[in-house]
Amino acid sequence: MNSFKFLKPYRMTMFVAIFFLLLELVVELFQPYILSKIINNGIVHKDLAYVSKWGIIMIVLSVVAFLAGVLNTFYATHVAQSYSFVLRKTLFEKVQSFSFTTFSFLPTSSIITRLTNDVSQLQSAVFMSLRIILRAPLIVTGSVIMALILNWKLSFILFLILPFLFMFLNWMVKKGRGLFKNVQENVDVVNSVLRENLVGMKLIKAFVRNDYENKRFQHINKNLKQKTSVALRTMEITMPVMLLFMNASILVVLWFGNSKVHTHETNIGDIVAIVNYISRITSSFSVFSFIISAFSRMRASSERIDEILTIEEDLIEKNEGNNLRNRLEGKIQFHQVSFRYPNSDKEVLNNISFLAYPEQTIAILGSTGSGKTSLFQLIPRLYEADGGSILIDDQDIRKMNSKQLRGQIGYVPQEALLFTGTIKENLLMGREDATDEEVYLAAKHAQIHETILSFPNGYESKIGQKGVNLSGGQKQRLAIARAIIRKPSILLLDDSTSALDLKTEASLIEALKNYKCTTLIITQKITTAKNADKILIIDEGQLVEEGTHDSLLNSSKLYKAIYYSQYGKEELMDVKGAN
Ligand code: CTP
Ligand code: MG
């Protein structure tokens, strides 16, 4: 199991923990033995000196066992905590290396459960192994051995019973594993619905869907409860079965012991000690049901964690390929590109070819769902094209180091996503080493500088709950500033000016000219497309029209239709003035 190799650095500490566990165990196992001596030699012969001498020794041993137990817990905790820390860190780094293809197979909520809940399961499994789990089998084995040493004739019964018990336990472990895997999967579902609800709270309220969502959550919550109950209840069978077996063997010992005491073949001390050993075995067995459930959970969780650990790093994310030493010129060429998402059969892009020269501005129009965003995602290699090729500066991007390629692309996604932190921190995400002046300049070009200054803490204002709340258009402009601050060779704007008024948008587009980058703009607005060097119209994954505003206005019915539908609306706003 892969997930346990992270225990390696803690081998020494584990040995120390196990040493104290063994010490505690040995001391405990000798206690009934000493007790039998006290009864046989001291109490039966009324030898008070003998009784008090061994009595004191027993007390001292108890103190030793107690201290050993405390030290064992101390080291076991240390190992378990360090282990889960390293495991979480490794998993997090691994997840960061996933490509979008991997994400489409592993839902976010499942990844979250694995990084939190499953890691906790393993953490407590490690702790329990070092504290309880190891102890129970050792007490069982040790007690059997001690009982045999003390009086093998009386203890023989144990040999008949134990094999059956082990077979039973083995069967329970196998059963438990399946049941608990089921439980963890249900935890996944609960997490995913919870997450969806929290993210979409506004929508749920706006559509008055609270009742429906409550019912949905109750349903899956109930499922989780049921699955967990079934698993735990099944495990509970273990204990009564164990107790039955062990109490029966105590009866047998007492029965035979009684007759043998009468014939002086054995003595009372031995019987007391053996019954004592058997009850220790019983009490250890009684934690077995608990151990089995811990083990089954651990197996299930470790399989789920291994699944993440063993995912092959995607070729795209390996950052192999040719180094890009210089700034790219920004010539983009799509050559018969086709694409489908990894988990679907539908061809989202079909045979797309076009050419963008350095520093050109290309506008991309198309109805919703036509494949515009998908096309954009291929350029920084967030996804890999299935057919055809994409060349930048005449080089196939599949041969480029993806990290360096992305470093030269300013990508403003359709949903302007900002992170918790200050405005400045968000802008610096575009380029960590940007100076204050560069930050201000990028913000000015993105037409957001004045707005930022109007916030109480300016660039240091926190975004989100305890700080400033931003409008859709403000978020869009911050996302644009974040993209241009890195002075990209290629700028991708995915409907990023949709929330801006015409005047602001015009100033922004004018300012972008400073960056001398090839700019691809997805837009719904003719006013944005109008000034582009080239306009591409995409429909159902295909490039249906290509040309300038004027040429398309002459040749394309579709473009003309879009133009007049919008022109009619915007006449009042003085389109010419805005340009
Ligand atoms: N799609 C998909 N899997 C995704 C994202 C999208 O299968 N993870 C599919 C959608 O069903 C859609 C097609 O891909 O039919 C194109 O999606 P997209 O490129 O996002 O369309 P856009 O043109 O960007 O649409 P919009 O204008 O609404 O943003
Ligand atoms: Mg889109």
mmCIF file with all atom_site columns, all heavy atoms in Angstrom, residues 152-173:
data_model
loop_
_atom_site.group_PDB
_atom_site.id
_atom_site.type_symbol
_atom_site.label_atom_id
_atom_site.label_alt_id
_atom_site.label_comp_id
_atom_site.label_asym_id
_atom_site.label_entity_id
_atom_site.label_seq_id
_atom_site.pdbx_PDB_ins_code
_atom_site.Cartn_x
_atom_site.Cartn_y
_atom_site.Cartn_z
_atom_site.occupancy
_atom_site.B_iso_or_equiv
_atom_site.pdbx_formal_charge
_atom_site.auth_seq_id
_atom_site.auth_comp_id
_atom_site.auth_asym_id
_atom_site.auth_atom_id
_atom_site.pdbx_PDB_model_num
ATOM 1   N N   . TRP A 1 152 ? -0.468  -26.530 31.354 1.00 0.00 ? 152 TRP A N   1
ATOM 2   C CA  . TRP A 1 152 ? -0.925  -26.790 29.985 1.00 0.00 ? 152 TRP A CA  1
ATOM 3   C C   . TRP A 1 152 ? -2.146  -27.685 29.935 1.00 0.00 ? 152 TRP A C   1
ATOM 4   O O   . TRP A 1 152 ? -2.956  -27.616 29.026 1.00 0.00 ? 152 TRP A O   1
ATOM 5   C CB  . TRP A 1 152 ? 0.209   -27.312 29.122 1.00 0.00 ? 152 TRP A CB  1
ATOM 6   C CG  . TRP A 1 152 ? 0.705   -28.683 29.482 1.00 0.00 ? 152 TRP A CG  1
ATOM 7   C CD1 . TRP A 1 152 ? 1.720   -28.977 30.345 1.00 0.00 ? 152 TRP A CD1 1
ATOM 8   C CD2 . TRP A 1 152 ? 0.208   -29.923 28.998 1.00 0.00 ? 152 TRP A CD2 1
ATOM 9   N NE1 . TRP A 1 152 ? 1.895   -30.316 30.429 1.00 0.00 ? 152 TRP A NE1 1
ATOM 10  C CE2 . TRP A 1 152 ? 0.967   -30.932 29.599 1.00 0.00 ? 152 TRP A CE2 1
ATOM 11  C CE3 . TRP A 1 152 ? -0.811  -30.285 28.101 1.00 0.00 ? 152 TRP A CE3 1
ATOM 12  C CZ2 . TRP A 1 152 ? 0.751   -32.280 29.359 1.00 0.00 ? 152 TRP A CZ2 1
ATOM 13  C CZ3 . TRP A 1 152 ? -1.019  -31.628 27.858 1.00 0.00 ? 152 TRP A CZ3 1
ATOM 14  C CH2 . TRP A 1 152 ? -0.254  -32.623 28.488 1.00 0.00 ? 152 TRP A CH2 1
ATOM 15  N N   . LYS A 1 153 ? -2.304  -28.533 30.967 1.00 0.00 ? 153 LYS A N   1
ATOM 16  C CA  . LYS A 1 153 ? -3.448  -29.449 30.925 1.00 0.00 ? 153 LYS A CA  1
ATOM 17  C C   . LYS A 1 153 ? -4.769  -28.683 31.011 1.00 0.00 ? 153 LYS A C   1
ATOM 18  O O   . LYS A 1 153 ? -5.752  -29.037 30.361 1.00 0.00 ? 153 LYS A O   1
ATOM 19  C CB  . LYS A 1 153 ? -3.359  -30.452 32.071 1.00 0.00 ? 153 LYS A CB  1
ATOM 20  C CG  . LYS A 1 153 ? -2.424  -31.597 31.766 1.00 0.00 ? 153 LYS A CG  1
ATOM 21  C CD  . LYS A 1 153 ? -2.456  -32.619 32.880 1.00 0.00 ? 153 LYS A CD  1
ATOM 22  C CE  . LYS A 1 153 ? -1.336  -33.610 32.710 1.00 0.00 ? 153 LYS A CE  1
ATOM 23  N NZ  . LYS A 1 153 ? -0.915  -34.197 33.994 1.00 0.00 ? 153 LYS A NZ  1
ATOM 24  N N   . LEU A 1 154 ? -4.743  -27.640 31.858 1.00 0.00 ? 154 LEU A N   1
ATOM 25  C CA  . LEU A 1 154 ? -5.980  -26.852 32.015 1.00 0.00 ? 154 LEU A CA  1
ATOM 26  C C   . LEU A 1 154 ? -6.204  -25.903 30.839 1.00 0.00 ? 154 LEU A C   1
ATOM 27  O O   . LEU A 1 154 ? -7.342  -25.562 30.502 1.00 0.00 ? 154 LEU A O   1
ATOM 28  C CB  . LEU A 1 154 ? -5.928  -26.031 33.308 1.00 0.00 ? 154 LEU A CB  1
ATOM 29  C CG  . LEU A 1 154 ? -6.327  -26.732 34.598 1.00 0.00 ? 154 LEU A CG  1
ATOM 30  C CD1 . LEU A 1 154 ? -6.235  -25.753 35.760 1.00 0.00 ? 154 LEU A CD1 1
ATOM 31  C CD2 . LEU A 1 154 ? -7.753  -27.267 34.481 1.00 0.00 ? 154 LEU A CD2 1
ATOM 32  N N   . SER A 1 155 ? -5.101  -25.436 30.229 1.00 0.00 ? 155 SER A N   1
ATOM 33  C CA  . SER A 1 155 ? -5.228  -24.397 29.197 1.00 0.00 ? 155 SER A CA  1
ATOM 34  C C   . SER A 1 155 ? -5.478  -24.973 27.818 1.00 0.00 ? 155 SER A C   1
ATOM 35  O O   . SER A 1 155 ? -5.627  -24.228 26.848 1.00 0.00 ? 155 SER A O   1
ATOM 36  C CB  . SER A 1 155 ? -3.972  -23.541 29.147 1.00 0.00 ? 155 SER A CB  1
ATOM 37  O OG  . SER A 1 155 ? -3.410  -23.416 30.408 1.00 0.00 ? 155 SER A OG  1
ATOM 38  N N   . PHE A 1 156 ? -5.475  -26.312 27.737 1.00 0.00 ? 156 PHE A N   1
ATOM 39  C CA  . PHE A 1 156 ? -5.537  -26.936 26.427 1.00 0.00 ? 156 PHE A CA  1
ATOM 40  C C   . PHE A 1 156 ? -6.774  -26.513 25.626 1.00 0.00 ? 156 PHE A C   1
ATOM 41  O O   . PHE A 1 156 ? -6.721  -26.389 24.405 1.00 0.00 ? 156 PHE A O   1
ATOM 42  C CB  . PHE A 1 156 ? -5.531  -28.458 26.585 1.00 0.00 ? 156 PHE A CB  1
ATOM 43  C CG  . PHE A 1 156 ? -4.969  -29.134 25.385 1.00 0.00 ? 156 PHE A CG  1
ATOM 44  C CD1 . PHE A 1 156 ? -3.608  -29.039 25.101 1.00 0.00 ? 156 PHE A CD1 1
ATOM 45  C CD2 . PHE A 1 156 ? -5.783  -29.835 24.503 1.00 0.00 ? 156 PHE A CD2 1
ATOM 46  C CE1 . PHE A 1 156 ? -3.078  -29.639 23.988 1.00 0.00 ? 156 PHE A CE1 1
ATOM 47  C CE2 . PHE A 1 156 ? -5.252  -30.430 23.378 1.00 0.00 ? 156 PHE A CE2 1
ATOM 48  C CZ  . PHE A 1 156 ? -3.905  -30.335 23.121 1.00 0.00 ? 156 PHE A CZ  1
ATOM 49  N N   . ILE A 1 157 ? -7.837  -26.264 26.333 1.00 0.00 ? 157 ILE A N   1
ATOM 50  C CA  . ILE A 1 157 ? -9.099  -25.871 25.700 1.00 0.00 ? 157 ILE A CA  1
ATOM 51  C C   . ILE A 1 157 ? -8.924  -24.680 24.739 1.00 0.00 ? 157 ILE A C   1
ATOM 52  O O   . ILE A 1 157 ? -9.554  -24.594 23.684 1.00 0.00 ? 157 ILE A O   1
ATOM 53  C CB  . ILE A 1 157 ? -10.155 -25.537 26.791 1.00 0.00 ? 157 ILE A CB  1
ATOM 54  C CG1 . ILE A 1 157 ? -11.468 -25.035 26.192 1.00 0.00 ? 157 ILE A CG1 1
ATOM 55  C CG2 . ILE A 1 157 ? -9.652  -24.516 27.769 1.00 0.00 ? 157 ILE A CG2 1
ATOM 56  C CD1 . ILE A 1 157 ? -12.314 -26.127 25.668 1.00 0.00 ? 157 ILE A CD1 1
ATOM 57  N N   . LEU A 1 158 ? -7.989  -23.783 25.123 1.00 0.00 ? 158 LEU A N   1
ATOM 58  C CA  . LEU A 1 158 ? -7.765  -22.593 24.298 1.00 0.00 ? 158 LEU A CA  1
ATOM 59  C C   . LEU A 1 158 ? -7.358  -22.963 22.874 1.00 0.00 ? 158 LEU A C   1
ATOM 60  O O   . LEU A 1 158 ? -7.725  -22.297 21.912 1.00 0.00 ? 158 LEU A O   1
ATOM 61  C CB  . LEU A 1 158 ? -6.679  -21.714 24.924 1.00 0.00 ? 158 LEU A CB  1
ATOM 62  C CG  . LEU A 1 158 ? -7.092  -21.028 26.224 1.00 0.00 ? 158 LEU A CG  1
ATOM 63  C CD1 . LEU A 1 158 ? -5.901  -20.329 26.849 1.00 0.00 ? 158 LEU A CD1 1
ATOM 64  C CD2 . LEU A 1 158 ? -8.202  -20.035 25.938 1.00 0.00 ? 158 LEU A CD2 1
ATOM 65  N N   . PHE A 1 159 ? -6.573  -24.046 22.760 1.00 0.00 ? 159 PHE A N   1
ATOM 66  C CA  . PHE A 1 159 ? -6.114  -24.462 21.443 1.00 0.00 ? 159 PHE A CA  1
ATOM 67  C C   . PHE A 1 159 ? -7.252  -24.889 20.538 1.00 0.00 ? 159 PHE A C   1
ATOM 68  O O   . PHE A 1 159 ? -7.174  -24.791 19.329 1.00 0.00 ? 159 PHE A O   1
ATOM 69  C CB  . PHE A 1 159 ? -5.136  -25.633 21.575 1.00 0.00 ? 159 PHE A CB  1
ATOM 70  C CG  . PHE A 1 159 ? -3.737  -25.154 21.696 1.00 0.00 ? 159 PHE A CG  1
ATOM 71  C CD1 . PHE A 1 159 ? -3.028  -25.329 22.869 1.00 0.00 ? 159 PHE A CD1 1
ATOM 72  C CD2 . PHE A 1 159 ? -3.132  -24.494 20.634 1.00 0.00 ? 159 PHE A CD2 1
ATOM 73  C CE1 . PHE A 1 159 ? -1.749  -24.865 22.975 1.00 0.00 ? 159 PHE A CE1 1
ATOM 74  C CE2 . PHE A 1 159 ? -1.847  -24.029 20.749 1.00 0.00 ? 159 PHE A CE2 1
ATOM 75  C CZ  . PHE A 1 159 ? -1.140  -24.216 21.927 1.00 0.00 ? 159 PHE A CZ  1
ATOM 76  N N   . LEU A 1 160 ? -8.296  -25.401 21.171 1.00 0.00 ? 160 LEU A N   1
ATOM 77  C CA  . LEU A 1 160 ? -9.423  -25.869 20.360 1.00 0.00 ? 160 LEU A CA  1
ATOM 78  C C   . LEU A 1 160 ? -10.249 -24.693 19.862 1.00 0.00 ? 160 LEU A C   1
ATOM 79  O O   . LEU A 1 160 ? -10.804 -24.721 18.764 1.00 0.00 ? 160 LEU A O   1
ATOM 80  C CB  . LEU A 1 160 ? -10.302 -26.807 21.196 1.00 0.00 ? 160 LEU A CB  1
ATOM 81  C CG  . LEU A 1 160 ? -9.586  -28.061 21.692 1.00 0.00 ? 160 LEU A CG  1
ATOM 82  C CD1 . LEU A 1 160 ? -10.510 -28.907 22.567 1.00 0.00 ? 160 LEU A CD1 1
ATOM 83  C CD2 . LEU A 1 160 ? -9.102  -28.892 20.499 1.00 0.00 ? 160 LEU A CD2 1
ATOM 84  N N   . ILE A 1 161 ? -10.303 -23.641 20.671 1.00 0.00 ? 161 ILE A N   1
ATOM 85  C CA  . ILE A 1 161 ? -11.211 -22.541 20.350 1.00 0.00 ? 161 ILE A CA  1
ATOM 86  C C   . ILE A 1 161 ? -10.593 -21.491 19.431 1.00 0.00 ? 161 ILE A C   1
ATOM 87  O O   . ILE A 1 161 ? -11.223 -21.019 18.483 1.00 0.00 ? 161 ILE A O   1
ATOM 88  C CB  . ILE A 1 161 ? -11.702 -21.884 21.658 1.00 0.00 ? 161 ILE A CB  1
ATOM 89  C CG1 . ILE A 1 161 ? -12.670 -22.841 22.347 1.00 0.00 ? 161 ILE A CG1 1
ATOM 90  C CG2 . ILE A 1 161 ? -12.360 -20.552 21.390 1.00 0.00 ? 161 ILE A CG2 1
ATOM 91  C CD1 . ILE A 1 161 ? -13.205 -22.312 23.630 1.00 0.00 ? 161 ILE A CD1 1
ATOM 92  N N   . LEU A 1 162 ? -9.316  -21.164 19.704 1.00 0.00 ? 162 LEU A N   1
ATOM 93  C CA  . LEU A 1 162 ? -8.710  -20.018 19.000 1.00 0.00 ? 162 LEU A CA  1
ATOM 94  C C   . LEU A 1 162 ? -8.744  -20.102 17.465 1.00 0.00 ? 162 LEU A C   1
ATOM 95  O O   . LEU A 1 162 ? -9.061  -19.103 16.818 1.00 0.00 ? 162 LEU A O   1
ATOM 96  C CB  . LEU A 1 162 ? -7.292  -19.790 19.512 1.00 0.00 ? 162 LEU A CB  1
ATOM 97  C CG  . LEU A 1 162 ? -7.259  -19.181 20.911 1.00 0.00 ? 162 LEU A CG  1
ATOM 98  C CD1 . LEU A 1 162 ? -5.836  -19.054 21.418 1.00 0.00 ? 162 LEU A CD1 1
ATOM 99  C CD2 . LEU A 1 162 ? -7.939  -17.812 20.917 1.00 0.00 ? 162 LEU A CD2 1
ATOM 100 N N   . PRO A 1 163 ? -8.424  -21.261 16.847 1.00 0.00 ? 163 PRO A N   1
ATOM 101 C CA  . PRO A 1 163 ? -8.459  -21.286 15.374 1.00 0.00 ? 163 PRO A CA  1
ATOM 102 C C   . PRO A 1 163 ? -9.807  -20.860 14.807 1.00 0.00 ? 163 PRO A C   1
ATOM 103 O O   . PRO A 1 163 ? -9.859  -20.094 13.838 1.00 0.00 ? 163 PRO A O   1
ATOM 104 C CB  . PRO A 1 163 ? -8.190  -22.756 15.040 1.00 0.00 ? 163 PRO A CB  1
ATOM 105 C CG  . PRO A 1 163 ? -7.493  -23.289 16.223 1.00 0.00 ? 163 PRO A CG  1
ATOM 106 C CD  . PRO A 1 163 ? -7.995  -22.529 17.409 1.00 0.00 ? 163 PRO A CD  1
ATOM 107 N N   . PHE A 1 164 ? -10.891 -21.303 15.468 1.00 0.00 ? 164 PHE A N   1
ATOM 108 C CA  . PHE A 1 164 ? -12.220 -20.903 14.988 1.00 0.00 ? 164 PHE A CA  1
ATOM 109 C C   . PHE A 1 164 ? -12.410 -19.392 15.084 1.00 0.00 ? 164 PHE A C   1
ATOM 110 O O   . PHE A 1 164 ? -12.939 -18.756 14.187 1.00 0.00 ? 164 PHE A O   1
ATOM 111 C CB  . PHE A 1 164 ? -13.314 -21.599 15.808 1.00 0.00 ? 164 PHE A CB  1
ATOM 112 C CG  . PHE A 1 164 ? -13.437 -23.043 15.478 1.00 0.00 ? 164 PHE A CG  1
ATOM 113 C CD1 . PHE A 1 164 ? -12.979 -24.012 16.361 1.00 0.00 ? 164 PHE A CD1 1
ATOM 114 C CD2 . PHE A 1 164 ? -13.984 -23.444 14.263 1.00 0.00 ? 164 PHE A CD2 1
ATOM 115 C CE1 . PHE A 1 164 ? -13.075 -25.352 16.038 1.00 0.00 ? 164 PHE A CE1 1
ATOM 116 C CE2 . PHE A 1 164 ? -14.085 -24.786 13.940 1.00 0.00 ? 164 PHE A CE2 1
ATOM 117 C CZ  . PHE A 1 164 ? -13.623 -25.747 14.825 1.00 0.00 ? 164 PHE A CZ  1
ATOM 118 N N   . LEU A 1 165 ? -11.930 -18.866 16.211 1.00 0.00 ? 165 LEU A N   1
ATOM 119 C CA  . LEU A 1 165 ? -12.074 -17.423 16.401 1.00 0.00 ? 165 LEU A CA  1
ATOM 120 C C   . LEU A 1 165 ? -11.326 -16.659 15.317 1.00 0.00 ? 165 LEU A C   1
ATOM 121 O O   . LEU A 1 165 ? -11.818 -15.666 14.782 1.00 0.00 ? 165 LEU A O   1
ATOM 122 C CB  . LEU A 1 165 ? -11.546 -17.023 17.779 1.00 0.00 ? 165 LEU A CB  1
ATOM 123 C CG  . LEU A 1 165 ? -12.498 -17.308 18.922 1.00 0.00 ? 165 LEU A CG  1
ATOM 124 C CD1 . LEU A 1 165 ? -11.928 -16.785 20.222 1.00 0.00 ? 165 LEU A CD1 1
ATOM 125 C CD2 . LEU A 1 165 ? -13.845 -16.641 18.653 1.00 0.00 ? 165 LEU A CD2 1
ATOM 126 N N   . PHE A 1 166 ? -10.128 -17.121 14.978 1.00 0.00 ? 166 PHE A N   1
ATOM 127 C CA  . PHE A 1 166 ? -9.352  -16.399 13.971 1.00 0.00 ? 166 PHE A CA  1
ATOM 128 C C   . PHE A 1 166 ? -10.013 -16.468 12.601 1.00 0.00 ? 166 PHE A C   1
ATOM 129 O O   . PHE A 1 166 ? -10.042 -15.481 11.871 1.00 0.00 ? 166 PHE A O   1
ATOM 130 C CB  . PHE A 1 166 ? -7.917  -16.926 13.915 1.00 0.00 ? 166 PHE A CB  1
ATOM 131 C CG  . PHE A 1 166 ? -7.073  -16.336 15.005 1.00 0.00 ? 166 PHE A CG  1
ATOM 132 C CD1 . PHE A 1 166 ? -6.504  -17.127 15.977 1.00 0.00 ? 166 PHE A CD1 1
ATOM 133 C CD2 . PHE A 1 166 ? -6.895  -14.955 15.078 1.00 0.00 ? 166 PHE A CD2 1
ATOM 134 C CE1 . PHE A 1 166 ? -5.754  -16.566 17.003 1.00 0.00 ? 166 PHE A CE1 1
ATOM 135 C CE2 . PHE A 1 166 ? -6.154  -14.392 16.091 1.00 0.00 ? 166 PHE A CE2 1
ATOM 136 C CZ  . PHE A 1 166 ? -5.579  -15.196 17.066 1.00 0.00 ? 166 PHE A CZ  1
ATOM 137 N N   . MET A 1 167 ? -10.562 -17.621 12.294 1.00 0.00 ? 167 MET A N   1
ATOM 138 C CA  . MET A 1 167 ? -11.260 -17.735 11.022 1.00 0.00 ? 167 MET A CA  1
ATOM 139 C C   . MET A 1 167 ? -12.445 -16.767 10.972 1.00 0.00 ? 167 MET A C   1
ATOM 140 O O   . MET A 1 167 ? -12.674 -16.085 9.971  1.00 0.00 ? 167 MET A O   1
ATOM 141 C CB  . MET A 1 167 ? -11.751 -19.172 10.811 1.00 0.00 ? 167 MET A CB  1
ATOM 142 C CG  . MET A 1 167 ? -10.708 -20.043 10.132 1.00 0.00 ? 167 MET A CG  1
ATOM 143 S SD  . MET A 1 167 ? -10.892 -21.786 10.500 1.00 0.00 ? 167 MET A SD  1
ATOM 144 C CE  . MET A 1 167 ? -12.515 -22.106 9.908  1.00 0.00 ? 167 MET A CE  1
ATOM 145 N N   . PHE A 1 168 ? -13.140 -16.723 12.077 1.00 0.00 ? 168 PHE A N   1
ATOM 146 C CA  . PHE A 1 168 ? -14.289 -15.818 12.166 1.00 0.00 ? 168 PHE A CA  1
ATOM 147 C C   . PHE A 1 168 ? -13.852 -14.355 11.981 1.00 0.00 ? 168 PHE A C   1
ATOM 148 O O   . PHE A 1 168 ? -14.451 -13.591 11.215 1.00 0.00 ? 168 PHE A O   1
ATOM 149 C CB  . PHE A 1 168 ? -14.962 -16.023 13.530 1.00 0.00 ? 168 PHE A CB  1
ATOM 150 C CG  . PHE A 1 168 ? -16.057 -15.047 13.813 1.00 0.00 ? 168 PHE A CG  1
ATOM 151 C CD1 . PHE A 1 168 ? -17.244 -15.086 13.098 1.00 0.00 ? 168 PHE A CD1 1
ATOM 152 C CD2 . PHE A 1 168 ? -15.902 -14.083 14.802 1.00 0.00 ? 168 PHE A CD2 1
ATOM 153 C CE1 . PHE A 1 168 ? -18.254 -14.186 13.365 1.00 0.00 ? 168 PHE A CE1 1
ATOM 154 C CE2 . PHE A 1 168 ? -16.909 -13.183 15.073 1.00 0.00 ? 168 PHE A CE2 1
ATOM 155 C CZ  . PHE A 1 168 ? -18.082 -13.236 14.355 1.00 0.00 ? 168 PHE A CZ  1
ATOM 156 N N   . LEU A 1 169 ? -12.761 -14.008 12.662 1.00 0.00 ? 169 LEU A N   1
ATOM 157 C CA  . LEU A 1 169 ? -12.273 -12.627 12.561 1.00 0.00 ? 169 LEU A CA  1
ATOM 158 C C   . LEU A 1 169 ? -11.876 -12.270 11.133 1.00 0.00 ? 169 LEU A C   1
ATOM 159 O O   . LEU A 1 169 ? -12.180 -11.189 10.634 1.00 0.00 ? 169 LEU A O   1
ATOM 160 C CB  . LEU A 1 169 ? -11.063 -12.430 13.474 1.00 0.00 ? 169 LEU A CB  1
ATOM 161 C CG  . LEU A 1 169 ? -11.384 -12.265 14.948 1.00 0.00 ? 169 LEU A CG  1
ATOM 162 C CD1 . LEU A 1 169 ? -10.107 -12.120 15.749 1.00 0.00 ? 169 LEU A CD1 1
ATOM 163 C CD2 . LEU A 1 169 ? -12.262 -11.037 15.150 1.00 0.00 ? 169 LEU A CD2 1
ATOM 164 N N   . ASN A 1 170 ? -11.194 -13.195 10.490 1.00 0.00 ? 170 ASN A N   1
ATOM 165 C CA  . ASN A 1 170 ? -10.738 -12.978 9.130  1.00 0.00 ? 170 ASN A CA  1
ATOM 166 C C   . ASN A 1 170 ? -11.927 -12.689 8.209  1.00 0.00 ? 170 ASN A C   1
ATOM 167 O O   . ASN A 1 170 ? -11.909 -11.756 7.392  1.00 0.00 ? 170 ASN A O   1
ATOM 168 C CB  . ASN A 1 170 ? -10.015 -14.242 8.668  1.00 0.00 ? 170 ASN A CB  1
ATOM 169 C CG  . ASN A 1 170 ? -9.199  -13.978 7.428  1.00 0.00 ? 170 ASN A CG  1
ATOM 170 O OD1 . ASN A 1 170 ? -9.009  -12.814 7.068  1.00 0.00 ? 170 ASN A OD1 1
ATOM 171 N ND2 . ASN A 1 170 ? -8.762  -15.016 6.772  1.00 0.00 ? 170 ASN A ND2 1
ATOM 172 N N   . TRP A 1 171 ? -12.980 -13.459 8.403  1.00 0.00 ? 171 TRP A N   1
ATOM 173 C CA  . TRP A 1 171 ? -14.186 -13.282 7.603  1.00 0.00 ? 171 TRP A CA  1
ATOM 174 C C   . TRP A 1 171 ? -14.798 -11.905 7.846  1.00 0.00 ? 171 TRP A C   1
ATOM 175 O O   . TRP A 1 171 ? -15.219 -11.205 6.924  1.00 0.00 ? 171 TRP A O   1
ATOM 176 C CB  . TRP A 1 171 ? -15.164 -14.397 7.978  1.00 0.00 ? 171 TRP A CB  1
ATOM 177 C CG  . TRP A 1 171 ? -16.455 -14.311 7.250  1.00 0.00 ? 171 TRP A CG  1
ATOM 178 C CD1 . TRP A 1 171 ? -16.671 -14.649 5.942  1.00 0.00 ? 171 TRP A CD1 1
ATOM 179 C CD2 . TRP A 1 171 ? -17.695 -13.869 7.782  1.00 0.00 ? 171 TRP A CD2 1
ATOM 180 N NE1 . TRP A 1 171 ? -17.983 -14.445 5.628  1.00 0.00 ? 171 TRP A NE1 1
ATOM 181 C CE2 . TRP A 1 171 ? -18.646 -13.952 6.744  1.00 0.00 ? 171 TRP A CE2 1
ATOM 182 C CE3 . TRP A 1 171 ? -18.117 -13.408 9.032  1.00 0.00 ? 171 TRP A CE3 1
ATOM 183 C CZ2 . TRP A 1 171 ? -19.966 -13.602 6.908  1.00 0.00 ? 171 TRP A CZ2 1
ATOM 184 C CZ3 . TRP A 1 171 ? -19.432 -13.060 9.204  1.00 0.00 ? 171 TRP A CZ3 1
ATOM 185 C CH2 . TRP A 1 171 ? -20.347 -13.155 8.154  1.00 0.00 ? 171 TRP A CH2 1
ATOM 186 N N   . MET A 1 172 ? -14.782 -11.502 9.129  1.00 0.00 ? 172 MET A N   1
ATOM 187 C CA  . MET A 1 172 ? -15.349 -10.193 9.476  1.00 0.00 ? 172 MET A CA  1
ATOM 188 C C   . MET A 1 172 ? -14.559 -9.055  8.829  1.00 0.00 ? 172 MET A C   1
ATOM 189 O O   . MET A 1 172 ? -15.127 -8.066  8.371  1.00 0.00 ? 172 MET A O   1
ATOM 190 C CB  . MET A 1 172 ? -15.357 -9.985  10.996 1.00 0.00 ? 172 MET A CB  1
ATOM 191 C CG  . MET A 1 172 ? -16.345 -10.821 11.746 1.00 0.00 ? 172 MET A CG  1
ATOM 192 S SD  . MET A 1 172 ? -18.045 -10.481 11.294 1.00 0.00 ? 172 MET A SD  1
ATOM 193 C CE  . MET A 1 172 ? -18.312 -8.932  12.086 1.00 0.00 ? 172 MET A CE  1
ATOM 194 N N   . VAL A 1 173 ? -13.230 -9.179  8.824  1.00 0.00 ? 173 VAL A N   1
ATOM 195 C CA  . VAL A 1 173 ? -12.402 -8.111  8.232  1.00 0.00 ? 173 VAL A CA  1
ATOM 196 C C   . VAL A 1 173 ? -12.776 -7.924  6.769  1.00 0.00 ? 173 VAL A C   1
ATOM 197 O O   . VAL A 1 173 ? -12.963 -6.806  6.284  1.00 0.00 ? 173 VAL A O   1
ATOM 198 C CB  . VAL A 1 173 ? -10.899 -8.435  8.357  1.00 0.00 ? 173 VAL A CB  1
ATOM 199 C CG1 . VAL A 1 173 ? -10.070 -7.466  7.527  1.00 0.00 ? 173 VAL A CG1 1
ATOM 200 C CG2 . VAL A 1 173 ? -10.468 -8.367  9.810  1.00 0.00 ? 173 VAL A CG2 1
#
